[in-house]
Amino acid sequence: MEKEQFYYDNKIVKMFLWATILWGVVGMLVGLLVALLFVFPGLLEFAGADNAISWLSFGRLRPLHTNAVIFAFVGNGIFLGVYYSTQRLLKARMFNDVLSRIHFWGWQAIIVAAAITLPLGFTSSKEYAELEWPIDIAVVLIWVVFAINLIGTILKRRQRHIYVAIWFYIATIVTIAVLYIFNNLEMPITAFKSYSVYSGVQDALVQWWYGHNAVAFFLTTPILGLMYYFIPKVANRPVYSYRLSIIHFWTLIFLYIWAGPHHLLYTALPEWAQNLGTVFSVMLIFPSWGGMINGLLTLRGAWDKVRENPVLKFFVVAITGYGMATFEGPMLSFKNLNAIGHYTDWIVGHVHIGALAWNGFMIAGIVYWLSEKLWKTPLYSRKLANTHFWLGTLGILFYAIPLYVAGFTQAFLWKQFNPDGTLVYGNFLETVTQVIPMYAMRAIGGTLYLTGFILLAINVIKTAKAGSKVEDELAEAAPLKKISGQRVAGEGLHTWLERKTVLFTILTTVAILIGGLVEIVPLILVKSNIPTIESVKPYTPLELEGRDIYIREGCNNCHSQMIRPFRSEVERYGEYSKAGEFVYDFPFLWGSRRTGPDVHRVGGKYNDNWHFNHMLDPRSTSPGSIMPRYSWLIKNDLNASNVEDKMEGLVTLGVPYSAEDISGAKQALLAQAKEIENNLRQDPEFVKNYSSSNIQNKEIVALIAYLQRLGTDIKAGKTALK
């Protein structure tokens, strides 16, 4: 059959390459700033201690960093590799050039919107899903554009069988759509305020079904697809085992989706859900390591090239990092290890092995290799690329190892008892100051890694200047000839499936839906999973406003609201947390890390003046604290104009506010605020400094009201537990 000529779209690849580099530098720079705040809490207080800048506080910068690295840097890096490899694997130009450009510019617009809204405090608080509802809609629309473009290209392909990389791209397209939509179902209140449709325990499970699988299907499966394309290309070797790639793909996408509950071990999540998460998480090590082995053994006979080629160096460390992270994940799913690691910096180190080594190095290698292909010239400096490799590798080690040390230190200090049964480190802050040297080393590691990436940017810019203009690439291939849909003689089952792409996509969808349905549907429909507690009541209007301020300031980035049933935690914080206490929490705020103490039973532990002074200057109440100042809360007037709308929205979600509660919301809010101000004025020092101030109208009062409510719905008591 006569071959057809066509052109690969290299210009869209070039656009995503520059975006990857730009957002990589930005995301890592914000990450370094956040790391430095652990060592120098006042670093960004340019206007003085009493005039701290709200949008430069840790609680607002941390989600900016995670979103910039995940969706801006890694996201653009994925699209870079997918757009290049898909066209060549399918022997076809992308389905539609306009859709490609809409995808590119729409994704960049989403990133810019996130970069503006997150520092301004517009957040849903959900980890890796903080963006508010208008931006969520934009994410879904742009993802649909990407899906149409990819699927359209698959349907017009000139290659009969789809290669393993395309399998992983299909799984990514389908699963991210399902995860993002269902986790971000929200009740809009205003243009940039919404409440999750799930509450408490249900919200926690749905969030970590999403959170764990965002790592799986955004940070892992598409990168695995890129691995299966670029490593054979660069090494000029075939994939080690086609059969292993089949087992790797289907077992990975089926098992991964079940593993989310391992983020919630020893919490108020029902035991059956925790156990399911553990079992499937442990099984995940087999397909994960199968993929790692397939990648590394593809280099068999090519290790001499690894010595000489910096791109292969990056790939080898990336796959090794993938192997380390996917060994650690299942290990942390065992309850005895999870009891040590959860809420500590061990988890942060674990996550960054995946982000810095697996994602960062894989994308760096791809960027270097494509730079030569796009600009048709050798890389400006291999020596500079090798320098980047060693700086990055040292950066990973200096980042992760200190955090592993910090994590074990925290876990052991939190659990130490004196002979008389009291905690050795009864003041949580004592355990924080012990690990600050490790935070300093982490910042050094981040600096090394960022420096290496800046060298990449310089190298690519120089390469582009030395090369020729990026042009679309001429290619030719014969069009597909129609054959029977039935299996032909000698054709294997999976080989047949690889040309039945619609059926392949349907089976992929079924595989990723099963785990989520089995875990989430019973939790939502079977009421006995979340026993109700009669004394638990909805938040008052002022407490509701205070909770929204807590969310806006990102307090859940450092403080958990989940006391696990351990002797050490019950002794330190009070009665362990019950599922029924969270039924009115839209969204849940259990947190995933403790830089500060758990606050689920903080209500009534300190007086109102302590909270006021603590927010104004944490060091005044807790010497040595690394918590940022929140002086703007004392200056900002509380905007409660939408409190009735918030309550009405929550009624729709099942919160039992009466019509009288809603109509009298503002009066009730003012009365509670006045009571808190009266409490504050019992302190002569407060009267001296704020004699003429109308504190009851300030945001700080609402936050105090919320904090004083926490954990007071049930009587606290000590229980002898493990």
Side-chain angles (χ1 to χ4, degrees):
M1 186 178 292
E2 188 176 344
K3 292 184 177 181
E4 299 174 336
Q5 289 193 334
F6 57 95
Y7 286 89
Y8 294 136
D9 185 357
N10 281 345
K11 294 187 178 70
I12 190 65
V13 177
K14 179 191 72 172
M15 292 164 70
F16 276 114
L17 184 144
W18 287 126
T20 301
I21 294 172
L22 170 65
W23 294 119
V25 172
V26 171
M28 294 173 203
L29 181 60
V30 176
L32 179 57
L33 283 174
V34 168
L36 288 170
L37 288 175
F38 283 80
V39 187
F40 308 107
L43 179 66
L44 300 179
E45 293 176 358
F46 304 120
D50 294 333
N51 296 287
I53 302 170
S54 60
W55 49 272
L56 289 178
S57 65
F58 173 83
R60 300 197 191 185
L61 288 180
R62 193 259 180 178
L64 177 63
H65 162 60
T66 55
N67 279 267
V69 169
I70 295 171
F71 299 108
F73 168 53
V74 179
N76 277 295
I78 289 167
F79 302 139
L80 157 72
V82 167
Y83 273 86
Y84 183 87
S85 62
T86 296
Q87 296 180 84
R88 285 148 181 87
L89 288 170
L90 300 177
K91 299 290 189 290
R93 188 181 179 90
M94 291 305 296
F95 175 65
N96 186 285
D97 287 1
V98 174
L99 289 180
S100 297
R101 271 62 185 176
I102 291 172
H103 177 203
F104 176 81
W105 290 111
W107 196 257
Q108 310 318 309
I110 288 165
I111 294 165
V112 171
I116 294 170
T117 56
L118 290 173
L120 291 176
F122 298 120
T123 174
S124 70
S125 85
K126 290 189 170 189
E127 211 157 351
Y128 317 136
E130 291 92 348
L131 303 181
E132 269 294 358
W133 68 272
I135 307 176
D136 284 338
I137 292 173
V139 170
V140 172
L141 291 175
I142 295 301
W143 195 258
V144 169
V145 168
F146 174 44
I148 292 171
N149 211 12
L150 184 70
I151 293 168
T153 309
I154 292 171
L155 294 177
K156 73 169 193 176
R157 71 191 186 277
R158 296 178 179 86
Q159 177 68 39
R160 191 169 307 282
H161 297 93
I162 55 173
Y163 177 64
V164 57
I166 303 295
W167 312 348
F168 282 99
Y169 301 161
I170 290 171
T172 299
I173 287 281
V174 170
T175 314
I176 289 298
V178 171
L179 292 169
Y180 202 88
I181 290 170
F182 282 97
N183 184 56
N184 288 289
L185 292 176
E186 297 153 337
M187 169 68 68
I189 304 298
T190 65
F192 283 99
K193 179 61 189 176
S194 63
Y195 291 121
S196 171
V197 301
Y198 316 103
S199 70
V201 173
Q202 295 170 344
D203 193 37
L205 180 59
V206 173
Q207 159 58 23
W208 283 113
W209 168 73
Y210 163 85
H212 181 80
N213 291 300
V215 172
F217 289 91
F218 196 82
L219 300 178
T220 302
T221 55
I223 306 293
L224 285 168
L226 300 182
M227 178 194 81
Y228 274 112
Y229 177 81
F230 283 99
I231 287 184
K233 272 287 185 184
V234 178
N236 196 26
R237 292 287 189 278
V239 168
Y240 171 67
S241 172
Y242 167 71
R243 288 183 178 179
L244 184 56
S245 67
I246 295 173
I247 297 168
H248 177 207
F249 174 76
W250 289 107
T251 55
L252 190 82
I253 68 167
F254 175 74
L255 294 176
Y256 235 133
I257 212 78
W258 295 76
H262 81 228
H263 292 264
L264 300 169
L265 300 183
Y266 289 116
T267 67
L269 186 72
E271 193 76 17
W272 63 264
Q274 295 184 38
N275 292 339
L276 270 178
T278 295
V279 169
F280 281 91
S281 297
V282 172
M283 287 194 288
L284 258 177
I285 194 169
F286 299 108
S288 298
W289 274 47
M292 178 193 70
I293 291 167
N294 219 4
L296 288 177
L297 290 185
T298 297
L299 294 171
R300 71 200 185 285
W303 286 99
D304 57 315
K305 295 182 180 180
V306 175
R307 268 198 316 272
E308 301 165 1
N309 190 337
V311 172
L312 288 177
K313 285 189 180 79
F314 280 102
F315 287 169
V316 168
V317 172
I319 299 170
T320 304
Y322 172 65
M324 290 173 61
T326 53
F327 172 77
E328 244 185 321
M331 293 305 100
L332 282 165
S333 302
F334 286 108
K335 284 195 167 184
N336 52 352
L337 279 179
N338 189 275
I340 297 170
H342 196 47
Y343 291 128
T344 75
D345 286 306
W346 179 0
I347 307 303
V348 182
H350 161 63
V351 168
H352 281 80
I353 287 289
L356 299 177
W358 170 232
N359 297 140
F361 267 29
M362 200 73 204
I363 289 171
I366 291 169
V367 167
Y368 280 127
W369 191 77
L370 286 181
S371 297
E372 295 186 327
K373 297 295 180 183
L374 293 175
W375 284 285
K376 299 182 179 66
T377 184
L379 192 64
Y380 168 73
S381 173
R382 284 202 166 196
K383 185 176 181 181
L384 209 58
N386 278 313
T387 303
H388 171 199
F389 170 78
W390 289 111
L391 282 174
T393 302
L394 285 172
I396 293 167
L397 295 174
F398 271 93
Y399 191 106
I401 293 173
L403 288 190
Y404 289 138
V405 174
F408 279 97
T409 302
Q410 289 163 328
F412 291 132
L413 296 184
W414 293 347
K415 296 175 181 292
Q416 283 191 30
F417 280 87
N418 290 307
D420 64 357
T422 60
L423 289 165
V424 174
Y425 297 94
N427 182 354
F428 185 90
L429 185 55
E430 293 178 286
T431 70
V432 176
T433 56
Q434 295 274 353
V435 298
I436 288 177
M438 275 71 94
Y439 291 154
M441 291 182 69
R442 184 258 302 270
I444 292 171
T447 303
L448 290 171
Y449 196 91
L450 173 60
T451 303
F453 198 81
I454 291 171
L455 293 183
L456 174 144
I458 294 169
N459 213 350
V460 174
I461 291 169
K462 293 281 190 180
T463 302
K465 286 182 177 180
S468 56
K469 183 180 178 183
V470 173
E471 300 289 353
D472 289 348
E473 182 181 335
L474 179 64
E476 60 179 22
L480 284 183
K481 181 182 177 182
K482 287 189 177 181
I483 62 173
S484 168
Q486 304 299 316
R487 289 171 62 185
V488 298
E491 186 178 32
L493 176 61
H494 203 274
T495 307
W496 170 78
L497 185 60
E498 288 164 26
R499 61 182 174 87
K500 306 291 288 183
T501 50
V502 174
L503 177 60
F504 188 99
T505 304
I506 292 170
L507 292 176
T508 299
T509 305
V510 171
I512 63 98
L513 285 177
I514 293 172
L517 290 172
V518 171
E519 289 177 342
I520 294 171
V521 172
L523 190 69
I524 292 175
L525 296 183
V526 180
K527 299 300 182 184
S528 60
N529 278 309
I530 306 172
T532 56
I533 301 173
E534 187 178 354
S535 59
V536 174
K537 305 297 181 186
Y539 294 106
T540 67
L542 186 64
E543 291 161 0
L544 183 61
E545 292 290 349
R547 191 173 198 270
D548 287 343
I549 292 170
Y550 184 96
I551 290 171
R552 183 191 74 191
E553 300 304 337
C555 300
N556 56 300
N557 286 297
C558 291
H559 296 279
S560 60
Q561 290 189 26
M562 172 53 60
I563 302 169
R564 297 174 294 178
F566 301 156
R567 178 189 169 204
S568 58
E569 295 203 6
V570 171
E571 180 67 29
R572 186 182 299 278
Y573 303 119
E575 181 73 359
Y576 70 93
S577 302
K578 315 292 195 300
E581 294 183 79
F582 304 100
V583 292
Y584 302 130
D585 281 12
F586 296 87
F588 85 113
L589 294 173
W590 294 359
S592 59
R593 180 187 186 188
R594 285 179 184 156
T595 306
D598 188 278
V599 294
H600 189 217
R601 300 269 181 250
V602 78
K605 185 174 182 179
Y606 306 101
N607 62 34
D608 293 347
N609 290 94
W610 187 93
H611 286 294
F612 183 94
N613 293 326
H614 187 61
M615 301 308 293
L616 177 62
D617 180 9
R619 263 70 65 193
S620 69
T621 58
S622 308
S625 172
I626 60 173
M627 177 176 157
R629 300 171 189 264
Y630 290 89
S631 54
W632 59 89
L633 297 179
I634 295 159
K635 299 175 182 178
N636 290 355
D637 288 335
L638 176 65
N639 179 7
S641 58
N642 297 309
V643 66
E644 295 95 343
D645 295 333
K646 291 178 179 181
M647 295 172 74
E648 288 172 356
L650 290 171
V651 167
T652 305
L653 298 176
V655 180
Y657 288 121
S658 66
E660 292 75 19
D661 291 334
I662 297 172
S663 62
K666 283 195 171 67
Q667 292 88 339
L669 184 150
L670 289 172
Q672 189 176 4
K674 184 63 178 175
E675 182 182 346
I676 291 174
E677 181 175 11
N678 289 339
N679 293 339
L680 292 172
R681 292 195 178 280
Q682 302 304 309
D683 180 5
E685 194 66 24
F686 177 90
V687 174
K688 176 183 173 183
N689 294 327
Y690 301 96
S691 58
S692 60
S693 301
N694 192 11
I695 293 295
Q696 71 180 40
N697 295 327
K698 303 299 180 182
E699 290 181 336
I700 184 67
V701 169
L703 182 59
I704 291 172
Y706 172 63
L707 293 172
Q708 294 289 36
R709 170 66 184 276
L710 288 174
T712 59
D713 282 341
I714 67 171
K715 292 182 178 180
K718 300 288 176 65
T719 308
L721 295 158
K722 66 192 319 181

